[in-house]
Amino acid sequence: MSLSFVLAGGGTAGHVNPLLSTALALRERGGAVRAVGTSEGLEADLVPEAGVELSTIVRVPFPRRPDMDMLRFPVRYRRAVAQATEILGKAGADAVIGFGGYASTPVYRAAKALGVPVVVHEQNAKPGLANRYGARFAEAVALTFDSTPLAARAGVTQTVGLPLRPAIADLARTRARGADAPRLRAAERFGLDPGLPTLLVTGGSLGALHLNDVLTSGLPAIRRAGVQILHLTGRGKDGAVRAALREAGGYGRYRVVDYLLRGMEEAYAAADLVLCRSGAGTVAELCALGLPGFFVPLPIGNGEQERNAADVVAAGGAALVRDRDFDLTAFERDVLPLVGDAARLEAMAAASRGLGHVDAAERLADLAVRIGGEKG
């Protein structure tokens, strides 16, 4: 008899993609899967597109200051828990897997009331409120990073890594075999020389204006160094970079792309070093791929991006400069020489790969199957 799993989470692609990768792994094990999210998050589009059934509950952010939202919170939260309870009942859930975010807390609460076992997956090095709550009674807590200060109060805790998009996991396995084909295909797609060391610059789908500004101010130095660049500027942010290139007289080894809706694995395949932010997904992907990173953490939030990178930086697989310290001087001093330092990049790649988890989706699915099966 197949087991039934309800996966809760969403909001950003960084939360939805691990959920979907885990759903696929569960299906491969014969499990029935359903996702729970909100209608406002990216899961509203991404989950149905992936062929996974989505049930939505009201979005109930925890109020952080005394205002009208705090007065409305108890009623809205009870409504969300009631909706989650109905979803779990109809699904006949054998286990819940929560990935954090607004949808997870009501689902955790409903699961506890119904006696449905909970598996918490925490992707960040600094856990969020929802997963800290779920860990109090979870049968298992699965971590992306060894250093994350979260543990199941009475259950098991283990590091499984971050469930990767299948295309990224496939590339990681191919790179581990030493195959050159992905790099050659990527070079052809982006118009790069596969024989030259390549710096990939990316700020994710929205881009990172600060990184873009430093790169454009560094065009003379890039030209002098002869470094090959693949710059993913962020959706709609390529115009300023292209204009700066024209004003600088052009540079044939500099390729500009605004955003890759699909095919990020090809950008990774072309790269020898990645200059980027340090969201949990990016850090996990680079480690799985054995790619050296030069991280400039996003300087907002609660400092989770710097913490996400801490393990791989300590291991020697990446370098890090805080956003306020990343300027043209840092770029010329620290980044450009590194692109051409094959020996150091090779050592960094080995250290990064040593922390990678290519099979995180499978490991998380196996954990959930064991927990759900014990219930039955």
Side-chain angles (χ1 to χ4, degrees):
M1 182 180 298
S2 66
L3 298 174
S4 174
F5 299 93
V6 172
L7 287 68
T12 66
H15 282 90
V16 178
N17 286 329
L19 182 154
L20 290 175
S21 298
T22 305
L24 177 62
L26 288 167
R27 280 184 170 174
E28 291 174 347
R29 286 153 177 76
V33 296
R34 174 192 298 262
V36 178
T38 72
S39 59
E40 294 90 343
L42 284 182
E43 64 271 19
D45 294 322
L46 297 180
V47 170
E49 285 177 6
V52 175
E53 187 172 355
L54 175 69
S55 299
T56 59
I57 61 177
V58 294
R59 180 178 179 272
V60 191
F62 185 79
R64 297 179 183 273
R65 60 180 183 272
D67 56 13
M68 289 302 296
D69 286 336
M70 180 171 288
L71 296 177
R72 298 187 189 102
F73 177 78
V75 173
R76 291 177 59 83
Y77 180 68
R78 284 195 296 269
R79 181 184 172 198
V81 172
Q83 291 172 328
T85 301
E86 182 178 1
I87 292 167
L88 295 182
K90 287 183 177 178
D94 293 293
V96 159
I97 309 173
F99 294 83
Y102 298 127
S104 292
T105 305
V107 175
Y108 290 153
R109 180 67 184 87
K112 180 182 181 183
L114 293 172
V116 177
V118 168
V119 177
V120 170
H121 183 274
E122 177 54 59
Q123 71 167 257
N124 285 299
K126 185 171 183 179
L129 287 173
N131 282 349
R132 295 208 304 269
Y133 168 70
R136 297 177 186 174
F137 49 85
E139 276 71 15
V141 168
L143 305 176
T144 296
F145 304 110
D146 289 332
S147 59
T148 301
L150 186 70
R153 184 172 294 178
V156 299
T157 302
Q158 64 184 73
T159 301
V160 302
L162 185 74
L164 302 172
R165 289 170 284 176
I168 300 293
D170 289 344
L171 175 62
R173 296 184 180 101
T174 302
R175 285 173 62 92
R177 296 194 298 269
D180 292 330
R183 184 180 180 92
L184 295 175
R185 287 195 299 268
E188 182 176 2
R189 173 177 178 178
F190 297 113
L192 299 167
D193 183 340
L196 291 176
T198 301
L199 173 66
L200 170 63
V201 183
T202 176
S205 61
L206 298 178
L209 284 175
H210 183 51
L211 300 189
N212 293 353
D213 291 343
V214 171
L215 264 289
T216 53
S217 68
L219 286 171
I222 292 169
R223 186 186 289 109
R224 289 194 300 271
V227 169
Q228 185 167 243
I229 306 284
L230 175 58
H231 189 168
L232 308 185
T233 64
R235 195 192 307 268
K237 295 183 173 65
D238 57 319
V241 177
R242 295 182 191 277
L245 272 170
R246 288 193 298 270
E247 292 173 7
Y251 178 52
R253 293 179 179 174
Y254 200 118
R255 297 290 181 265
V256 178
V257 179
D258 69 339
Y259 172 60
L260 293 174
L261 179 61
R262 293 177 180 83
M264 187 64 196
E265 67 278 2
E266 292 191 78
Y268 282 144
D272 296 280
L273 176 68
V274 184
L275 172 63
C276 56
R277 298 301 194 186
S278 51
T282 299
V283 174
E285 288 173 351
L286 294 192
C287 289
L289 293 165
L291 264 177
F294 195 102
F295 296 121
V296 184
L298 191 67
I300 61 174
N302 56 13
E304 68 269 15
Q305 285 214 354
E306 187 168 344
R307 296 189 185 198
N308 290 341
D311 290 355
V312 65
V313 170
L320 182 146
V321 171
R322 290 176 175 168
D323 189 81
R324 64 174 179 266
D325 298 323
F326 185 66
D327 55 14
L328 179 57
T329 299
F331 178 67
E332 292 187 20
R333 180 191 64 227
D334 300 327
V335 180
L336 285 179
L338 183 56
V339 181
D341 191 338
R344 186 178 172 198
L345 288 178
E346 184 176 353
M348 291 175 71
S352 177
R353 188 178 297 110
L355 295 178
H357 299 277
V358 180
D359 59 348
E362 290 76 14
R363 295 177 69 186
L364 181 57
D366 287 340
L367 178 61
V369 167
R370 178 170 65 80
I371 296 296
E374 289 174 353
K375 177 222 176 188

